[in-house]
Amino acid sequence: MSTQGYEEELRSERAYIAGLYARLDAERARVKGAYDAALLGTGGTPVERDSEVRALAATAKRLDVADNGLCFGRLDTASGEHSYIGRIGLFDEGDGYEPVLLDWRAPASRAFYVATAANPEGMRRRRQFHTRGRRVVEFTDEVLGRPDGDERGDAALLAAVNAPRGTGMRDIVATIQAEQDDIIRLDHPGVLVIEGGPGTGKTVVALHRVAYLLYTQRERMERHGVLVVGPNPAFLNHIGRVLPSLGESDVVFTTPGDLVPGLRVTAEDEPGVARLKGSLEILDVLAAAVADRQRLPASPLPVELRDVALRIDAGTAEWAREEARASGLPHNEARSVFTEIVTYVLTERAIARIGRGWLTREDREAWEQLRADLLKDLAEDEAFTAALDELWPVLTPAALLSSLYSSPERLRAAGGDPALARVDGEAWTVSDVPLLDELVDLLGRDGTVDRAAERERKKEAEYAAGVLDTMVDRRDMMDDEDHLFAQDLLYAEDLAERFLEQDTRELVERAAADRDWTYRHVVVDEAQELSEMDWRVLMRRCPGRSFTVVGDLAQRRSAAGATSWGAVLEPYVPGRWVYRSLTVNYRTPAEIMTVAAALLAEFAPGVRPPESVRACGVRPWSRRVDGDGWAAAIEEFTRDEAGREGTSVVIGPPGVPGTVPASGTKGLEFDAVLVVAPERILAEGPRGAAELYVALTRATQRLGVLHRDPLPPALAGLVEAGEPVRSGDRRPV
């Protein structure tokens, strides 16, 4: 294309996209008008109006995020027709309601991502726009169908992967590659495993798959939402804006340590203890710990009523325990069965004593009246309640597990490993979360708490109804045209009906606070780190077993983590999971990946490293540090990077000030990375090599390594950078 022809095309494209923004603004105005009308409307029930307001608010959010990069490409067919691709779909409201902008998730948009020179999908040209704000700066064309053409237009992709990193992950909606698009659009109702080495984009592919599923199955999915589970809060902050940037907000982000609402996790267990807690064998320990609290009295327990003295003996308690266990109910719910049997025995004995000589079973009315009086006395008797609490106590997960950890006797009785013992039973760790979640089901609900909650709910509803009654009384005494009163009455109606019929919190808020909430789809990132017990928690959260599982077995650091995907998934979804791999590294330049691959070959020789799509032209380096030179070298690195655009991080083992552990950077990426003391990271345990592999592959541009001892042989590919750094040195790193 000549320069003059290019400029004419650019003006034409600018005009077209300006027209798209005009349509977007008009649609925003229309939705806002409908939203305002719904807020003030009086038609339908309050619940119907509330539902309409929520739906319009969600539509407004999706329109708002479309402003950034509304249209990013164009496809031209071999016959000369063309279509524009963007973040959302827009339509010509004239005859035919023809699309003027295709949503990137629509089937008709797929060719934009998968058409190649060898398989052009009926397309002749792919055009990509480069925009700043609402203005098209330039465009690049890739002509498809030529034998010597490239598979993909690399200009946009390389511009994206070479750009400095910001504070969070960016969406890849404009640069999705064919390998990634196949996974995003995969039609599979069960579990999809996406495995890929560092920099392959597996996380962002999984998030775009969520956006695609919400687009294609919105009615089914949006009422229950999506759960995204990541390794740590820093990772969740990093990825947290991808889905909102694609217009999707009904997503709960959490870590494995936050899956039980209200629990405060303060630490991680030692590898051996984490392995014990993560194994399914811990289920037997938990069941035994519950059974151990269902006790028989060592000697009869006295219950003194007004007219008779009673005792709960071992025989009575054993019969009651057998019946309660045979009911199959959770512990707290089975207490009612236990109580019923004990109460029956005691009242039968009491009636026999009190009525001796004058009362027979034939006198049913007197018999039942005496039983009712005794039942009332037992319900109010503190000794009887204390006896029940001793033999079959109401338990909470936290109280049971805490007492198990802090009592060597109870731990021994439950068959638990002595390594599980600790002084502070409530010093909760990440590995405790699935155990506490399991105990919720083993123990069941506390009926007394449920009854109290029901009473509180009724009180709130009665208050709302009282407000409504007051307003109705006021209406009878006021002018029918009093507008302010009409608004007050509408508020009162809303208040009453919402208390009675609907929780008015947003879906994300309700789901995150409810342990029993179930999701339509769950994304699990860094899934190789999850234990067998972690998977039980997640399967409870998604009865439909619709998962996107993201991980890399070669990067596993947890002693309780997965060693194979089949071992993890087959017990839950036999034959309903599929595996896909990503093989191209879009993050790590070839110079850095060469060093990391040498380490990978040592600790995981059967794993093939991903192939980098680019080189950065900068060799990764190493430098020897003597004495107390860590601080000086780290300071130099930090000062040097502060003058550059982008992000940086210093990764090191515990005990080195100014560093973060590799585990805290999993899933993250930085323009520059400084790895401190790799020899000590390797010495941290059996997964030290995986830790170091993670550290080496976080950089997108520059990698440096500081070491005091000789470098491990696997890092021989690093370029030695000058003399050792000593305390007080200020040479640039």
Side-chain angles (χ1 to χ4, degrees):
M1 185 183 301
S2 67
T3 301
Q4 182 179 354
Y6 177 88
E7 292 297 330
E8 290 176 355
E9 280 281 296
L10 183 59
R11 283 193 293 271
S12 175
E13 299 292 23
R14 284 173 174 168
Y16 188 87
I17 292 177
L20 294 179
Y21 274 110
R23 290 181 184 275
L24 175 65
D25 291 339
E27 181 65 7
R28 281 175 171 168
R30 185 193 69 78
V31 171
K32 185 179 185 306
Y35 178 80
D36 292 341
L39 286 176
L40 299 174
T42 58
T45 68
V47 173
E48 289 172 340
R49 294 197 300 275
D50 187 74
S51 177
E52 182 183 9
V53 168
R54 288 175 183 270
L56 289 167
T59 300
K61 285 182 181 179
R62 294 190 187 104
L63 293 173
D64 285 342
V65 301
D67 205 50
N68 182 24
L70 173 62
C71 176
F72 48 76
R74 190 183 97 178
L75 270 177
D76 295 359
T77 67
S79 60
E81 297 177 351
H82 53 256
S83 54
Y84 289 82
I85 316 298
R87 289 182 178 273
I88 63 170
L90 293 175
F91 298 87
D92 185 347
E93 297 182 2
D95 293 339
Y97 205 61
E98 292 295 322
V100 293
L101 181 67
L102 291 174
D103 191 296
W104 67 275
R105 296 164 288 195
S109 299
R110 189 168 188 269
F112 185 79
Y113 300 109
V114 302
T116 67
N119 297 291
E121 303 281 334
M123 300 297 154
R124 180 58 180 165
R125 176 167 54 191
R126 174 169 39 223
R127 173 170 290 178
Q128 291 181 303
F129 299 118
H130 306 274
T131 60
R132 184 175 296 115
R134 291 189 168 199
R135 179 179 174 81
V136 179
V137 178
E138 60 180 355
F139 65 81
T140 57
D141 282 346
E142 178 189 6
V143 178
L144 302 168
R146 296 179 302 176
D148 59 345
D150 292 332
E151 180 179 346
R152 185 77 169 93
D154 288 334
L157 172 64
L158 291 178
V161 297
N162 281 314
R165 265 46 191 174
T167 56
M169 180 178 284
R170 296 167 291 194
D171 67 65
I172 58 168
V173 63
T175 57
I176 294 171
Q177 303 299 287
E179 179 184 59
Q180 299 170 329
D181 189 78
D182 286 340
I183 294 173
I184 290 170
R185 298 175 192 266
L186 184 66
D187 183 16
H188 180 70
V191 177
L192 167 63
V193 176
I194 307 174
E195 184 164 31
T200 53
K202 52 188 179 293
T203 297
V204 74
V205 166
L207 295 176
H208 282 68
R209 175 168 168 77
V210 169
Y212 176 75
L213 292 174
L214 285 167
Y215 175 80
T216 57
Q217 305 175 32
R218 188 169 301 283
E219 185 174 348
R220 186 181 75 85
M221 295 186 67
E222 69 178 355
R223 292 183 62 184
H224 285 256
V226 174
L227 176 67
V228 176
V229 182
N232 53 59
F235 175 82
L236 295 180
N237 288 336
H238 180 64
I239 69 171
R241 69 184 184 191
V242 172
L243 284 169
S245 76
L246 298 172
E248 306 300 346
S249 57
D250 290 335
V251 181
V252 174
F253 293 88
T254 191
T255 69
D258 295 321
L259 283 168
V260 174
L263 185 72
R264 183 171 179 267
V265 173
T266 58
E268 288 191 17
D269 284 307
E270 294 295 324
V273 176
R275 187 186 298 109
L276 289 171
K277 293 180 180 179
S279 169
L280 294 182
E281 295 176 1
I282 199 69
L283 292 172
D284 294 333
V285 177
L286 297 179
V290 174
D292 183 55
R293 305 300 291 273
Q294 301 162 356
R295 302 196 164 192
L296 305 179
S299 58
L301 301 177
V303 179
E304 301 285 344
L305 300 182
R306 286 175 296 179
D307 300 322
V308 65
L310 303 171
R311 298 190 310 168
I312 304 175
D313 55 40
T316 299
E318 185 174 15
W319 178 30
R321 185 172 71 174
E322 289 175 356
E323 292 294 325
R325 288 177 175 176
S327 71
L329 294 171
H331 171 86
N332 288 334
E333 296 170 31
R335 175 179 161 119
S336 64
V337 178
F338 182 87
T339 303
E340 182 180 357
I341 299 297
V342 172
T343 302
Y344 170 79
V345 172
L346 293 183
T347 55
E348 284 292 303
R349 291 174 180 173
I351 292 172
R353 294 179 188 177
I354 296 171
R356 182 179 296 127
W358 64 271
L359 182 63
T360 66
R361 287 188 181 276
E362 284 71 25
D363 191 355
R364 298 187 61 85
E365 184 175 348
W367 190 284
E368 292 303 327
Q369 181 58 52
L370 182 53
R371 181 188 296 278
D373 291 341
L374 288 168
L375 288 174
K376 183 174 183 295
D377 289 345
L378 284 173
E380 296 174 352
D381 188 79
E382 293 182 359
F384 180 64
T385 301
L388 291 178
D389 289 342
E390 180 179 340
L391 300 177
W392 197 285
V394 173
L395 299 171
T396 65
L400 177 67
L401 196 58
S402 173
S403 65
L404 182 68
Y405 289 153
S406 58
S407 170
E409 294 79 12
R410 284 179 173 161
L411 190 58
R412 190 182 312 111
D417 193 297
L420 296 174
R422 66 187 185 212
V423 175
D424 184 356
E426 295 188 353
W428 303 120
T429 69
V430 175
S431 303
D432 289 329
V433 171
L435 278 61
L436 291 165
D437 193 73
E438 190 75 32
L439 285 170
V440 172
D441 286 350
L442 284 176
L443 298 177
R445 302 298 182 188
D446 177 359
T448 58
V449 173
D450 288 347
R451 287 192 291 273
E454 178 64 16
R455 287 195 299 270
E456 187 64 26
R457 190 192 72 82
K458 286 183 178 179
K459 283 173 59 179
E460 292 175 338
E462 289 168 0
Y463 166 75
V467 172
L468 180 58
D469 290 342
T470 301
M471 300 308 298
V472 170
D473 291 341
R474 283 181 56 199
R475 179 187 60 191
D476 295 339
M477 297 183 292
M478 298 179 67
D479 193 313
D480 290 340
E481 297 182 358
D482 189 323
H483 178 67
L484 291 178
F485 168 74
Q487 287 186 329
D488 290 342
L489 183 60
L490 178 61
Y491 164 74
E493 291 174 347
D494 282 346
L495 181 65
E497 189 157 355
R498 287 180 182 183
F499 269 129
L500 292 170
E501 298 184 20
Q502 185 173 351
D503 187 336
T504 59
R505 292 174 297 173
E506 294 293 332
L507 181 145
V508 169
E509 185 181 0
R510 284 183 287 137
D514 186 355
R515 179 263 175 188
D516 294 324
W517 188 276
T518 58
Y519 298 87
R520 283 288 184 262
H521 191 78
V522 176
V523 176
V524 188
D525 211 322
E526 300 293 344
Q528 74 279 354
E529 306 296 347
L530 300 189
S531 69
E532 292 175 312
M533 289 297 293
D534 288 324
W535 283 105
R536 287 177 64 86
V537 179
L538 294 176
M539 291 297 169
R540 289 190 194 99
R541 300 302 191 270
C542 188
R545 303 292 194 261
S546 178
F547 281 74
T548 299
V549 175
V550 181
D552 180 9
L553 294 177
Q555 296 187 56
R556 178 177 67 90
R557 59 177 289 272
S558 171
T563 56
S564 80
W565 300 119
V568 165
L569 298 173
E570 277 295 320
Y572 301 104
V573 285
R576 285 191 59 228
W577 66 280
V578 297
Y579 175 89
R580 295 291 185 271
S581 63
L582 292 168
T583 61
V584 180
N585 188 331
Y586 300 102
R587 176 179 68 213
T588 317
E591 296 89 343
I592 296 175
M593 199 62 217
T594 298
V595 175
L599 176 64
L600 181 67
E602 283 199 358
F603 77 91
V607 178
R608 182 178 179 180
E611 182 180 354
S612 297
V613 299
R614 67 190 177 94
C616 64
V618 179
R619 292 280 302 277
W621 52 266
S622 67
R623 172 164 289 172
R624 185 78 175 268
V625 176
D626 287 344
D628 298 324
W630 295 126
I634 292 172
E635 182 184 342
E636 294 290 352
F637 170 83
T638 304
R639 187 166 57 193
D640 184 55
E641 289 300 328
R644 301 175 185 262
E645 187 178 5
T647 59
S648 63
V649 69
V650 181
I651 302 174
V656 178
T659 69
V660 298
S663 58
T665 65
K666 295 199 75 170
L668 308 183
E669 55 186 29
F670 305 87
D671 292 272
V673 172
L674 181 66
V675 178
V676 177
E679 65 276 20
R680 286 175 54 182
I681 296 176
L682 283 173
E684 283 296 312
R687 302 308 302 173
E691 286 272 283
L692 182 56
Y693 182 62
V694 169
L696 295 174
T697 54
R698 298 307 93 195
T700 66
Q701 302 290 345
R702 300 174 296 281
L703 171 67
V705 173
L706 299 177
H707 62 101
R708 181 176 295 163
D709 300 329
L711 274 177
L715 302 185
L718 294 169
V719 176
E720 189 67 25
E723 296 298 321
V725 177
R726 299 175 177 83
S727 179
D729 284 353
R730 289 293 184 269
R731 283 190 296 276
V733 175

